[in-house]
Each structure stands twice: as structure tokens, then as C-alpha cells.
């Protein structure tokens, strides 16, 4: 049996789909599962243990696959993503119709729901990736995000980093990471940011003591490895994209907005350096045992 899954999106999107991909593997243990997704995600895909083959595919681009036994649309509500899968001439397809789209549903749950209604069981808490090493004393700060709306100001991250270095001394190793095109941003926080491969970033977050970042892929990496985190949300609600369980503190001021805007969201800007440092102290002291949202 050949199963084709479309999820040609980013790192966080991939990791929120892990329970669904594992549900497919459980339902069809002998099938060859092919994931149509960007090639740069290969290192992350290899760690999921539910995908046999990565088919490099750009967002909403034709899929180089013919006649799967089952096609699964984990990309979006359609119609374009559905049309691309239909073009592969699947014998059967699982997809939301546009009018069925559960807009007010957590990203993990909406895709589990899709498979569950077709009789495929999914565990929405089956998000963890295999361990990548022991915990270190590193605190990872990742200031980047794919859109300006989700980027907390660099000078505030710099103030957080300086306070942690000053108060933590040699006990804490503050590391600032940068994704593609983010080096200039990261250098506003530290002169020597870390900008390695995706595999190196995954391992760094997997073994960190704490992660501080916005609503971006690195936040989902922290969730996937059970790494404690302080997450700065805005303009998207953490009720839809935040961690549902785990040792995480989410700071959100209750305001939604345009996630594709160029400038930082007003709600995100309401988050202060003091709030972040208080949350960091709570997580490092072990006072957060499960995901918690702080809003004002």
C-alpha cells in the first residue's frame, strides 16, 4: 500500500502533525508512507519514525507522485491543496472540504480529528521525538520568526540575555540561535550567534535547559523534546498553536491580529522584559509542571 501525505509547510507545522503521521503508521503498518514537504525538513522528518520517504515539494506546487492508494491532505482547508492531491489520481483521499474546516480548533487536534472521523485512531499527545542527548546548562534564545508580526524586539531579547548572563553566572550558558536570513537580527543580541544546520538546531534545543522564543518552529521543537520553554505569543492565540502539555510557560496578552504583518503585533509588544524574566525564573525553579498561559 502506498500512502501520500501533503504537508508542504514549515518546521512547526511538521511537528504539530506528528500525532497524525504516527496515527497513519499505526493504521497501516505495512504501508509505504511518503510525505510531500520541503526538502530542508529532511533531518526533522527522519526523527519522526512514521515516514518512509520525503518527497521534496514546495508549498502549493505540483506533487511528483502517481496513483497512491491513499492521499491525505494535512496541508490546509483547500481547495488548491486538495486539487494538487487529486491530480495524483489517488484511489482514496482524506481531506477537509472548505466548509468543514474547524477554524477554532488547536492545530494538533484538527488533524487528529480528520483521521479519527475516518476510523484512524490518533493520540494527540504523541508528539515527542527520540532523545538526542542529556540536558545541558544552555538557555537557547531564538529571536527569529517567519513574519515580523511574531518577532519580539531584538533589544528586549538582548536585555533578557544580559540579565540571565549577569544573574546566572557560569551556571547558565546563554546561546542565541539564528535561522536562514536571521544572522543580522541575532547579532543585535550577541556578536556570535549560532547558525548551524537544522540537525544542529534540533540537537541544541533537545538538550537545552530552557528555550525562550516566540510563536515559531523552535517553540514546537521544544515541545517535541520536552524541553522547558518560555514562549512569547502574539498575534496568534496559544489556544490554537501553543503547547497543550509539558513544562512550558506561555506569555500572551489576549490580543489577536494579522500574523502576516511586517511589524511586531501590538499584543506581542505588551510583553515586557520583566514578565519574561519572571517566567524564566518560574520555569528554572521548577514551578511549572504543565503548560500554562499567562495573559493580561
Amino acid at each position: 500500500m502506498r500512502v501520500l501525505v501533503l504537508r508542504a509547510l514549515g518546521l512547526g507545522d511538521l511537528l504539530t502533525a506528528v500525532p497524525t503521521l504516527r496515527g497513519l503508521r499505526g493504521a497501516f503498518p505495512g504501508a509505504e508512507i511518503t510525505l510531500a514537504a520541503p526538502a530542508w525538513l529532511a533531518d526533522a522528518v527522519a526523527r519522526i519514525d512514521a515516514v518512509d520517504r520525503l518527497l521534496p515539494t514546495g508549498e502549493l506546487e505540483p506533487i511528483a507522485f502517481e496513483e497512491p492508494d491513499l492521499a491525505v491532505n494535512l496541508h490546509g482547508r483547500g481547495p488548491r491543496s486538495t486539487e494538487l492531491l487529486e491530480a495524483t489520481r489517488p484511489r482514496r483521499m482524506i481531506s477537509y472540504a472548505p466548509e468543514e474546516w474547524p477554524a477554532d480548533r488547536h492545530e494538533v487536534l484538527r488533524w487528529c480529528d480528520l483521521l479519527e472521523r475516518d476510523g484512524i485512531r490518533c493520540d494527540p499527545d504523541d508528539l515527542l521525538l527520540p532523545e538526542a542527548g542529556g540536558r545541558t546548562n544552555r538557555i537557547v534564545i531564538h529571536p527569529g520568526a517567519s513574519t515580523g508580526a511574531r518577532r519580539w524586539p531584538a533589544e528586549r531579547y538582548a536585555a533578557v540575555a544580559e540579565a540571565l548572563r549577569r544573574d546566572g553566572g557560569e551556571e547558565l550558558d546563554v546561546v542565541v540561535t539564528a535561522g536562514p536570513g536571521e544572522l543580522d537580527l541575532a547579532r543585535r543580541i550577541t556578536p556570535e550567534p549560532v547558525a548551524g544546520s537544522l540537525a544542529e538546531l534540533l540537537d541544541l534545543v533537545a538538550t537545552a535547559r530552557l528555550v525562550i522564543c516566540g510563536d515559531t518552529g523552535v517553540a514546537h521543537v521544544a515541545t517535541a523534546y520536552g524541553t522547558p520553554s518560555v514562549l512569547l505569543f502574539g498575534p496568534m492565540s496559544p489556544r490554537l498553536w501553543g503547547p497543550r502539555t509539558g513544562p512550558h510557560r506561555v506569555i500572551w496578552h489576549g490580543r489577536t491580529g494579522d500574523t502576516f504583518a511586517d511589524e511586531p503585533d501590538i499584543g506581542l509588544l505588551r510583553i515586557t522584559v520583566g514578565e519574561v524574566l519572571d517566567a524564566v525564573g518560574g520555569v528554572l525553579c521548577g514551578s511549572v509542571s504543565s503548560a500554562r498561559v499567562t495573559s493580561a
Side-chain angles (χ1 to χ4, degrees), residues 193-205:
V194 174
S197 67
L198 177 58
E200 290 168 332
L201 176 63
L202 293 173
D203 290 342
L204 182 62
V205 173

Side-chain angles (χ1 to χ4, degrees), residues 84-213:
L84 290 169
L85 280 172
E86 288 175 340
T88 68
R89 303 188 303 281
R91 291 181 174 83
R92 175 187 170 204
M93 187 158 73
I94 298 175
S95 180
Y96 280 119
E99 64 274 11
E100 298 172 331
W101 182 251
D104 195 31
R105 187 74 163 146
H106 192 282
E107 183 70 6
V108 172
L109 298 177
R110 70 159 55 110
W111 299 114
C112 288
D113 291 349
L114 175 65
L115 264 63
E116 291 273 3
R117 75 178 193 179
D118 218 77
I120 298 173
R121 296 185 61 186
C122 297
D123 179 0
D125 294 325
D126 189 12
L127 286 159
L128 295 180
L129 298 181
E131 291 185 5
R135 291 283 172 208
T136 67
N137 67 340
R138 297 190 189 97
I139 292 184
V140 173
I141 295 178
H142 186 84
S146 61
T147 64
R150 293 184 283 124
R151 293 190 200 115
W152 201 51
E155 60 270 19
R156 299 191 196 181
Y157 276 117
V160 169
E162 176 60 27
L164 292 174
R165 292 189 182 103
R166 182 183 64 245
D167 298 338
E170 296 182 358
E171 180 185 351
L172 300 177
D173 179 14
V174 179
V175 176
V176 179
T177 56
E182 296 175 347
L183 268 175
D184 288 344
L185 172 65
R187 285 181 179 136
R188 294 167 60 189
I189 303 167
T190 183
E192 296 183 358
V194 174
S197 67
L198 177 58
E200 290 168 332
L201 176 63
L202 293 173
D203 290 342
L204 182 62
V205 173
T207 58
R209 182 173 177 183
L210 176 71
V211 170
I212 305 170
C213 67

Side-chain angles (χ1 to χ4, degrees), residues 19 106 108-109 123-128 219-220 222-229 231 238-239 241-250 288-293:
H106 192 282
V108 172
L109 298 177
D123 179 0
D125 294 325
D126 189 12
L127 286 159
L128 295 180
H220 295 283
T223 299
Y225 283 108
T227 299
S229 67
L231 307 178
R239 188 172 60 83
W241 280 91
R244 297 172 52 252
T245 60
H248 311 290
R249 176 75 65 86
V250 176
V288 177
S289 60
S290 185
R292 175 181 169 187
V293 177

